[in-house]
Amino acid sequence: MPQGTQHNRSLTAHRTHHLADGREAIFFADHGHTVPEQVSDQRSLDPRGEPGELRFDQLTGDWVAVAAHRQARTYLPPKEDCPLCPSTETRHSEIPASEFDVVVFENRFPSLGPVLGEVPDPAEAAELPAGAVAAAGRCEVVVFTSDHAGSFASLADGRARTVIDAWVQRTEDLSAKTGIKQVFVFENRGQDIGVTLHHPHGQIYAYPYVTPTAQKMAEQARKHLASTGKNLLGQILEDELADGSRIVSQGEHFTVFVPYASRWPLEAHLVPHRHVPDLAALNEAEKAELAIMYRDLMRRFDALYETPTPYIAAWHQAPLNAADRAASRLHLQLTSPRRAADKLKFLAGSEAAMGAFINDVPAEQTAARLREVKL
């Protein structure tokens, strides 16, 4: 049976249904719209498979997910076979509805899950036999629109806000699940990034461990807070505003700037002025402004060249322990490997093997281009 009820704007109308193999699909409605009370997935799907493995790399202390079942996932299908378009009488997709606003569903080919549970800490993991840990966690797909063409940047105001409200609700729900240590909201756009579906969509990963990048950033944030009493990203934002040369845009609640030590030829951070650990902590005014400023930034990226710019939109949310939530501030990191109209930056020896980035484009130059672009 469907779960959930209609809610006011602060929570957004949403309702949970189930697909033919038992996966959850959460329907979200734009302001003034309603979510379907009943949906029926007419497909005959195989039962959900067993989870993959988490393998511990003793050299680095990192977890690596091994998900061989993902080799069978759909790869760049034509529009008539898109699994994210609405279902029709003659073709059933992952979304069993003839129309919808925003839908979030469990990935059919997950890197993590479908089981939930704790994973050992690194000290214990180093002693485990090979293949001893199931890849617990959860992977979800966030479909922005029923339209096959377009992007987040092309969404209307109300729809952009609905997507943000969906991210908020999913962050809250996933953060409360057993064993989850970090919730990561992101979008890959463009074949040059490696997307497998053209339909406008993003993803959410709920990890049973703190990822290497999040761990490194959290450690820096904790050290800064302990030594200065100040939030690290808040201090960086103050310094960027004082300098001004890398600021792209500024609102009442958010600022966009190109980071001083950018790794990518196109990179920008969108940072809230108030300290919040994750999307779920944003207030109504902040969410309303975010829907506008986030799309504005994406449109600036696209306006730099005659063709759409490939990007990764990564929402850095604090890990779910109290110390990291006190020190780590939510922010968006938008990056693209595009260094010219017909050139991409590839991660070669220094970056891929050593993690030591070399950027050909100064941050100040990138910021000036993004500020001056004609929208």
Side-chain angles (χ1 to χ4, degrees), residues 237 241 249-256 270-276 282-294 315 329-331:
L237 177 59
L241 288 170
S249 61
Q250 185 177 359
E252 181 181 355
H253 304 289
F254 291 88
T255 291
V256 175
L270 188 157
V271 179
H273 296 168
R274 184 172 66 94
H275 177 70
V276 290
L282 295 173
N283 62 36
E284 291 300 297
E286 290 164 339
K287 286 184 282 188
E289 184 174 276
L290 179 59
I292 296 170
M293 291 193 66
Y294 182 36
W315 287 97
R329 181 177 297 194
L330 166 75
H331 66 286

Side-chain angles (χ1 to χ4, degrees), residues 17 24 27-28 31 34 42 47 70 102 117 120-121 136 156 195 197 220-221 236 243 272 303 307 360 363 375:
H17 297 284
E24 288 186 336
F27 286 69
F28 292 82
H31 183 57
T34 58
Q42 300 297 315
R70 284 177 56 78
V102 175
D121 64 37
V195 298
L197 297 172
Q220 288 291 101
I236 291 172
D243 179 276
T307 56
D360 300 332
L375 297 176

Side-chain angles (χ1 to χ4, degrees), residues 249-313:
S249 61
Q250 185 177 359
E252 181 181 355
H253 304 289
F254 291 88
T255 291
V256 175
F257 61 87
V258 178
Y260 174 73
S262 302
R263 286 167 165 75
W264 296 92
L266 284 176
E267 181 171 352
H269 291 187
L270 188 157
V271 179
H273 296 168
R274 184 172 66 94
H275 177 70
V276 290
D278 57 23
L279 289 159
L282 295 173
N283 62 36
E284 291 300 297
E286 290 164 339
K287 286 184 282 188
E289 184 174 276
L290 179 59
I292 296 170
M293 291 193 66
Y294 182 36
R295 282 178 304 144
D296 174 82
L297 174 58
M298 290 183 156
R299 289 168 179 171
R300 290 177 186 276
F301 266 51
D302 274 348
L304 290 172
Y305 301 105
E306 293 183 357
T307 56
T309 296
Y311 62 73
I312 296 175

Side-chain angles (χ1 to χ4, degrees), residues 57-58 77 88 120 125 134 230 234 248 306 322 330 334 358 375:
D57 183 349
Q58 295 187 43
T88 67
K230 296 183 178 181
V248 175
E306 293 183 357
L330 166 75
L334 185 63
I358 303 167
L375 297 176

Side-chain angles (χ1 to χ4, degrees), residues 1-17 26-29 33-37 169:
M1 293 295 292
Q3 302 169 355
T5 57
Q6 297 290 335
H7 298 282
N8 61 26
R9 180 73 227 191
S10 65
L11 294 177
T12 291
H14 64 276
R15 192 182 298 274
T16 299
H17 297 284
I26 306 100
F27 286 69
F28 292 82
H33 292 188
T34 58
V35 291
E37 293 187 5
Q169 193 277 336

